[in-house]
Amino acid sequence: MKRKTFAGSPCPIARSLDVLGDWWNPLILRECTYGVCRFDGFQQWLGIGRNILTRRLAQLVDEGLLEKRAYQSSPTRYEYHLTEKGYDAVKVILAMMEFGDKWQFKKGKEPIRLFDADSGKRLHPIVVDASTKEPIDPRNITAGPGPGFPKIQSIRRQRFGDNYIE
Amino acid sequence: MKRKTFAGSPCPIARSLDVLGDWWNPLILRECTYGVCRFDGFQQWLGIGRNILTRRLAQLVDEGLLEKRAYQSSPTRYEYHLTEKGYDAVKVILAMMEFGDKWQFKKGKEPIRLFDADSGKRLHPIVVDASTKEPIDPRNITAGPGPGFPKIQSIRRQRFGDNYIE
DNA sequence: TGGTTAAGTTTCATTATGAAACTGATGATA
DNA sequence: TATCATCAGTTTCATAATGAAACTTAACCA
């Protein structure tokens, strides 16, 4: 009975979950944005078991969200730094942060605040449509198969019905 | 050795992870946006074990992301519908979707497309700052303690150093 | 009488997690 | 020289979660 993986799934959510759908990985990425980059740093801030941390870091490197950089030799030791892909994952985590702020804490009682490092202005991450810049209302969206959708018509129609497009 | 929970954590990310940091919950929410709302529907589309599904639905109801609505009596059967909070969680999942599209599939080969239900226009969820509407660059943000940050100065200073504010 | 649908439970083998102790290489201290 | 401390992991082992499949309950159908 292996743990399920969504590595081959045609759903971008499922694929993201292989690396973000976990209790630890997003927190490790959070620590990275706070400037933590070494094994013991992650371990102490998160209280994660060292064996689990080892596995998670390896996975994040493997998936390309973190890269290992040697910062000394004899013995060689590594730091873990966010990659381009890793920084993109952080955006998802910022969305999580906003969700957490809104629903888990009283208004004005949020424990963490984000600022633009240049201007020093408060930042509030929200999810909008790229072209209109209007907030997305999940109540009002429709999903349909894209070019990469598997060519199994029955499932396609079953799932998307009238939204089926060739 | 209990599974760790972040229920009391002062981090909004950690708190969100208690419900979103899981392989199944985000997919269940995805199915909800696709219109699935019954036990067997979730089970068949996701291939999730029925025992696990039972637990996950209960958790999502418990956390207020889904609500149970009886759609028939004798025997009473329930449908699961997204709440206000649930729809907000979907926004996070849309951010995941964009991440998955960008990094897991070739450009123009994304398997799922989102549309505005009214206008029919393509939607691309991105994470921006609420006031400027500028995309957030995680490379250029700073975190500092907010009003809800625990009052343990040493940790506060350790973690946020110069960003410490009274 | 038997079959189907729906929404779960129960059981059990397999995995993953958490805690703590241990390793190995080096540098600093007494 | 002997001991301690740091860093980045492994190893071990008890406990918890997962996945698969069979079972249950309650009603309707023919």
Side-chain angles (χ1 to χ4, degrees):
Chain A
M1 335 276 117
K2 273 186 194 148
R3 139 78 32 84
K4 228 160 228 184
T5 175
F6 304 114
S9 166
C11 172
I13 302 166
R15 294 283 282 273
S16 301
L17 287 172
D18 254 352
V19 63
L20 293 178
D22 169 70
W23 291 271
W24 292 121
N25 288 354
L27 293 176
I28 290 172
L29 298 177
R30 177 193 78 182
E31 291 305 311
C32 288
T33 70
Y34 286 173
V36 176
C37 58
R38 296 185 186 176
F39 190 92
D40 276 19
F42 293 119
Q43 200 281 315
Q44 284 163 40
W45 282 113
L46 296 177
I48 183 176
R50 311 176 72 80
N51 45 359
I52 310 296
L53 178 57
T54 300
R55 277 219 287 280
R56 288 291 175 273
L57 288 173
Q59 189 198 358
L60 288 167
V61 168
D62 197 55
E63 299 265 6
L65 308 217
L66 295 181
E67 62 172 359
K68 236 171 153 172
R69 277 187 217 155
Y71 69 92
Q72 72 166 43
S73 46
S74 71
T76 311
R77 296 223 171 110
Y78 297 94
E79 287 178 344
Y80 297 85
H81 290 274
L82 288 164
T83 61
E84 186 76 20
K85 186 175 177 182
Y87 278 114
D88 269 354
V90 168
K91 293 180 192 172
V92 177
I93 290 163
L94 295 178
M96 265 186 210
M97 192 165 168
E98 199 66 9
F99 173 78
D101 275 341
K102 178 165 176 187
W103 291 98
Q104 320 281 3
F105 298 98
K106 291 196 198 77
K107 210 175 164 79
K109 290 288 180 188
E110 68 286 345
I112 306 286
R113 285 177 167 175
L114 297 178
F115 304 91
D116 183 289
D118 294 332
S119 67
K121 279 187 187 140
R122 265 307 271 291
L123 290 177
H124 282 289
I126 62 170
V127 179
V128 303
D129 173 54
S131 56
T132 67
K133 299 286 170 68
E134 288 298 311
I136 289 184
D137 179 2
R139 258 167 269 250
N140 204 38
I141 60 176
T142 301
F149 200 85
K151 301 282 182 222
I152 305 166
Q153 269 225 8
S154 58
I155 292 181
R156 190 181 221 166
R157 283 196 179 280
Q158 247 182 290
R159 164 137 289 188
F160 293 108
D162 296 342
N163 288 314
Y164 171 81
I165 46 171
E166 195 54 61
Chain B
M1 334 273 116
K2 273 188 195 148
R3 137 82 31 87
K4 226 157 230 185
T5 176
F6 305 114
S9 167
C11 172
I13 302 166
R15 293 285 280 274
S16 302
L17 287 172
D18 253 352
V19 64
L20 294 178
D22 169 71
W23 292 271
W24 291 121
N25 289 355
L27 292 175
I28 290 172
L29 298 177
R30 179 193 76 184
E31 291 306 311
C32 289
T33 70
Y34 286 173
V36 175
C37 58
R38 296 186 186 176
F39 190 91
D40 277 18
F42 293 118
Q43 199 280 315
Q44 283 162 41
W45 282 113
L46 295 177
I48 182 177
R50 311 176 71 81
N51 45 359
I52 309 298
L53 179 57
T54 299
R55 277 220 287 280
R56 288 291 174 270
L57 287 173
Q59 188 198 358
L60 288 167
V61 168
D62 196 56
E63 299 266 5
L65 308 217
L66 295 182
E67 63 172 359
K68 236 171 152 173
R69 277 186 217 152
Y71 70 93
Q72 73 166 42
S73 47
S74 70
T76 311
R77 298 224 171 108
Y78 298 95
E79 287 177 340
Y80 297 86
H81 290 274
L82 287 165
T83 62
E84 188 75 20
K85 186 176 176 182
Y87 278 114
D88 268 354
V90 169
K91 294 180 192 173
V92 177
I93 290 164
L94 295 178
M96 264 186 211
M97 191 166 169
E98 200 67 8
F99 173 78
D101 274 342
K102 177 164 175 187
W103 292 98
Q104 320 279 5
F105 298 97
K106 292 195 198 79
K107 209 174 165 81
K109 290 288 180 186
E110 69 285 345
I112 306 286
R113 285 176 168 175
L114 298 178
F115 304 92
D116 183 289
D118 294 331
S119 68
K121 280 187 188 144
R122 267 303 273 290
L123 290 176
H124 283 287
I126 61 170
V127 179
V128 303
D129 173 54
S131 56
T132 66
K133 298 285 170 68
E134 288 297 310
I136 289 185
D137 179 3
R139 258 167 271 249
N140 204 39
I141 60 177
T142 301
F149 199 85
K151 303 282 181 224
I152 305 166
Q153 269 225 8
S154 58
I155 291 182
R156 190 181 221 166
R157 283 195 179 282
Q158 248 182 292
R159 162 137 293 188
F160 293 109
D162 296 342
N163 290 312
Y164 171 81
I165 46 172
E166 194 54 63

